[in-house]
Amino acid sequence: MDANTFIPEHFIDDVKTYLPAHLDIDDFINACRRPLRKSIRVNTLKISVTEFKQYAKQKNWLLTPIPWCEEGFWLERPAAEEQNLALGNTDLHLSGAMYVQEASSMLPPIALKQSIEHTNYVLDMASAPGSKTSQLAALMNNQGVLVANELSSSRLKVLSATLKRMGVGNCALSHFDGVIFGNYMFECFDSILLDAPCSGEGTVRKDADALKNWSIDSNIEIAQVQKDLIKSAFYALKPGGTLVYSTCTLTPLENQHVCDFLLSEFGDCIIPESLSDLFPGASKATTPEGYLHVWPQTFDSEGFFIAKFKKQASSDNPNLKVKKGAFPFQQFESKKSAVFMQTLKQQFGLNTLPGILMQRDKELWLFPQEFEAVQNKIKYARLGIQLGAIHNNGVRLAHEFATAFGKQCKSNVLPLTDTQANDYFQGKDIRLADVSQNTGEVILTLCGCPIGLGKWQKNKVKNSLPRDLVQNTQLITWAQSN
Ligand SMILES: C[S@@+](CC[C@H](N)C(=O)[O-])C[C@H]1O[C@@H](n2cnc3c(N)ncnc32)[C@H](O)[C@@H]1O
């Protein structure tokens, strides 16, 4: 029990007004004071669940499957020396093999899963730090186009770093208030996730001060933002498309009432789809409308709310807008493209890249194949993957090339030991046991996952990790964790 968890009386009084009859307020309060179980999601863009389990076994990690997410596990680390070591410093995290993600936070992308599997254009309207964006990209298997938007610039940077670490290749990042999408990207998306900014009442097990400034007035204020965002999401969705609305808060003001607003505005064009069969046991959290209202005691998780809607018909938007200004990229010359692809084949045994090579000044980028239809609708903060820098004699490859495509490379791949990986993440060159005759660039891997690029230099590999990704951390090594 965490006696420091702050739960204000007036919050409890409010919860009593909407707690479902089959739940007990004391169970709720006790659950809020219990520490949260640790959970992770395996990043299948970099490693299979089977491979991950093998690594976890070597570390004596105990995994319990999360019933709604095939890639999700609750995790216990019994080794005494690991108790105070952050999961974020483990090799499996730093390599992008896993993402530390709360179990209930895996639900919204799972609610979109069916729709994503058959569609090309997906919008994540409020996406930092990127737990659900990277989950969506993995569900899309890096295919199609995933637009990830975030309003806060500091959080956008974190999002960008997350996507690089996780090897996401089909993403375009944007930096706007989400309300613009309905006007600028009217009916562009097959699937939309609106994981809305909220009062965070469900996060109190992780953050003892989450309810410190709680008030109904702030619930009402945030609900207005949520209504503006869900309206924008409705307009941005194609007829036939699917919208998932989620929050990590409990109050109906920010949940059911926001859904009521959507239906009152556009009820002729959009209908809820029940989530009662999303996974075995989902009915325990299903509301009469078919939404999931996950209480902390229901699945021993954080509190969450998830609603799913199907858009059945179009509704005119009187405020359509068109972006001004030219698109700053052009297709990479076909002759140079052929030379570049030949180099990748010779150096790494890589035969194809999934997308279109584009050039902006001296930068070489790879855009998702389907990007053209949406590329000039808004100004993006980043598009696809930066493959490298173009110079007179060819292309100097960039870090992201390795994290996104290293898995497909067949030659010039160097698996690092934990000591070498430590040096790499700290920005140091990597010492080799023997002098190597290899030349040029090399893909570095950890736990079987590509983590970046280096350059062969006889008895060492020169470190090419971008400065902003250099960490001042000590990786938890196999020796320490076994
Ligand atoms: C609940 S968090 C998103 C968490 C994220 N989906 C994830 O799973 O990692 C909500 C995010 O919305 C951003 N935000 C707040 N107001 C916004 C707005 N008007 N438009 C877009 N994003 C907004 C916040 O900065 C915050 O990062």
Side-chain angles (χ1 to χ4, degrees):
M1 286 282 157
D2 188 347
N4 295 322
T5 304
F6 181 69
I7 308 180
E9 275 305 315
H10 60 310
F11 168 70
I12 296 172
D13 290 342
D14 185 51
V15 171
K16 284 179 187 164
T17 66
Y18 61 84
L19 186 78
H22 66 281
L23 296 180
D24 180 82
I25 192 74
D26 291 329
D27 287 348
F28 168 67
I29 296 169
N30 289 335
C32 288
R33 294 196 190 284
R34 270 200 303 276
L36 204 53
R37 292 187 277 176
K38 282 255 179 302
S39 53
I40 59 94
R41 180 176 50 78
V42 179
N43 177 21
T44 51
L45 292 178
K46 286 211 171 178
I47 194 171
S48 70
V49 170
T50 311
E51 284 168 305
F52 180 85
K53 282 182 174 169
Q54 284 161 1
Y55 282 109
K57 197 171 172 193
Q58 288 175 42
K59 291 169 164 296
N60 295 325
W61 288 3
L62 305 176
L63 302 177
T64 307
I66 294 173
W68 46 86
C69 180
E70 277 172 43
E71 302 81 22
F73 297 91
W74 282 291
L75 172 70
E76 287 167 80
R77 292 184 294 158
E81 59 274 24
E82 276 203 57
Q83 297 309 311
N84 296 319
L85 294 172
L87 266 179
N89 285 353
T90 57
D91 45 9
L92 284 168
H93 171 90
L94 291 169
S95 64
M98 68 177 191
Y99 192 97
V100 180
Q101 184 174 355
E102 212 290 309
S104 52
S105 139
M106 299 173 197
L107 277 165
I110 294 297
L112 263 188
K113 183 175 173 175
Q114 246 186 351
S115 130
I116 285 173
E117 279 167 356
H118 305 288
T119 58
N120 285 330
Y121 296 93
V122 180
L123 170 64
D124 185 356
M125 201 185 249
S127 47
S131 48
K132 297 181 195 71
T133 315
S134 58
Q135 188 180 356
L136 290 168
L139 290 171
M140 296 168 82
N141 198 20
N142 257 344
Q143 307 290 303
V145 176
L146 173 57
V147 175
N149 179 66
E150 171 56 45
L151 178 64
S152 145
S153 29
S154 57
R155 288 173 68 88
L156 187 75
K157 282 190 191 139
V158 179
L159 171 66
S160 176
T162 300
L163 301 183
K164 285 181 193 170
R165 182 172 63 82
M166 302 295 275
V168 172
N170 63 341
C171 203
L173 293 190
S174 63
H175 179 30
F176 291 109
D177 185 326
V179 297
I180 65 114
F181 283 94
N183 298 343
Y184 282 89
M185 298 193 82
F186 180 66
E187 296 188 346
C188 279
F189 295 98
D190 305 289
S191 307
I192 298 183
L193 173 62
L194 170 53
D195 187 38
C198 70
S199 57
E201 294 162 352
T203 64
V204 69
R205 296 179 69 176
K206 184 169 64 191
D207 172 7
D209 289 335
L211 297 170
K212 211 165 180 179
N213 299 315
W214 183 89
S215 75
I216 290 216
D217 285 347
S218 73
N219 290 161
I220 293 169
E221 204 177 307
I222 299 173
Q224 188 51 53
V225 174
Q226 294 160 339
K227 287 174 186 169
D228 294 343
L229 289 172
I230 207 168
K231 189 169 172 178
S232 171
F234 169 81
Y235 280 128
L237 192 64
K238 290 181 189 174
T242 304
L243 164 67
V244 165
Y245 173 77
S246 59
T247 70
C248 55
T249 208
L250 298 168
T251 173
L253 286 171
E254 298 179 45
N255 294 324
Q256 285 91 336
H257 294 194
V258 176
C259 299
D260 291 347
F261 165 80
L262 175 72
L263 296 173
S264 71
E265 289 276 301
F266 304 110
D268 294 343
C269 305
I270 195 159
I271 51 163
E273 277 201 344
S274 176
L275 292 168
S276 64
D277 292 331
L278 189 64
F279 60 94
S283 57
K284 279 192 223 161
T286 310
T287 70
E289 303 90 338
Y291 309 142
L292 293 184
H293 201 168
V294 176
W295 290 77
Q297 67 270 44
T298 315
F299 302 119
D300 191 10
S301 67
E302 275 190 342
F304 235 89
F305 177 86
I306 304 107
K308 180 176 177 182
F309 300 93
K310 185 103 183 155
K311 183 165 173 177
Q312 296 188 305
S314 184
S315 175
D316 285 346
N317 178 355
N319 299 310
L320 292 186
K321 299 222 163 62
V322 178
K323 170 187 166 280
K324 295 193 180 78
F327 187 60
F329 292 84
Q330 63 202 50
Q331 207 155 336
F332 194 40
E333 251 178 66
S334 61
K335 235 174 163 178
K336 288 184 180 169
S337 295
V339 174
F340 175 63
M341 291 309 301
Q342 187 58 29
T343 314
L344 292 185
K345 193 172 175 180
Q346 276 165 3
Q347 181 79 359
F348 301 111
L350 186 66
N351 290 324
T352 54
L353 285 173
I356 301 171
L357 292 174
M358 302 290 286
Q359 175 170 3
R360 181 178 62 183
D361 303 325
K362 296 282 178 206
E363 299 164 356
L364 181 64
W365 290 77
L366 187 77
F367 284 7
Q369 202 78 43
E370 300 86 349
F371 195 62
E372 201 175 350
V374 292
Q375 69 186 18
N376 213 18
K377 298 268 180 188
I378 57 170
K379 186 169 184 288
Y380 294 94
R382 257 179 55 96
L383 284 176
I385 293 218
Q386 185 169 8
L387 290 176
I390 302 163
H391 58 91
N392 290 344
N393 302 325
V395 174
R396 191 177 317 110
L397 290 174
H399 173 77
E400 265 182 282
F401 162 77
T403 57
F405 302 114
K407 193 86 189 161
Q408 285 89 52
C409 291
K410 296 187 188 71
S411 48
N412 261 308
V413 177
L414 178 68
L416 300 187
T417 63
D418 279 339
T419 312
Q420 290 172 325
N422 247 327
D423 286 347
Y424 174 72
F425 287 123
Q426 291 178 6
K428 299 176 193 161
D429 291 342
I430 297 148
R431 303 208 160 280
L432 300 174
D434 303 306
V435 172
S436 163
Q437 302 304 320
N438 294 332
T439 55
E441 278 149 323
V442 50
I443 308 279
L444 307 172
T445 67
L446 178 64
C447 310
C449 301
I451 54 171
L453 271 179
K455 202 163 186 189
W456 294 110
Q457 284 190 343
K458 295 190 175 153
N459 61 347
K460 64 177 186 184
V461 168
K462 197 167 162 23
N463 194 324
S464 307
L465 186 65
R467 272 163 189 246
D468 59 323
L469 297 180
V470 170
Q471 314 224 355
N472 208 4
T473 55
Q474 186 71 20
L475 175 72
I476 299 173
T477 66
W478 296 116
Q480 281 169 315
S481 63
N482 280 334

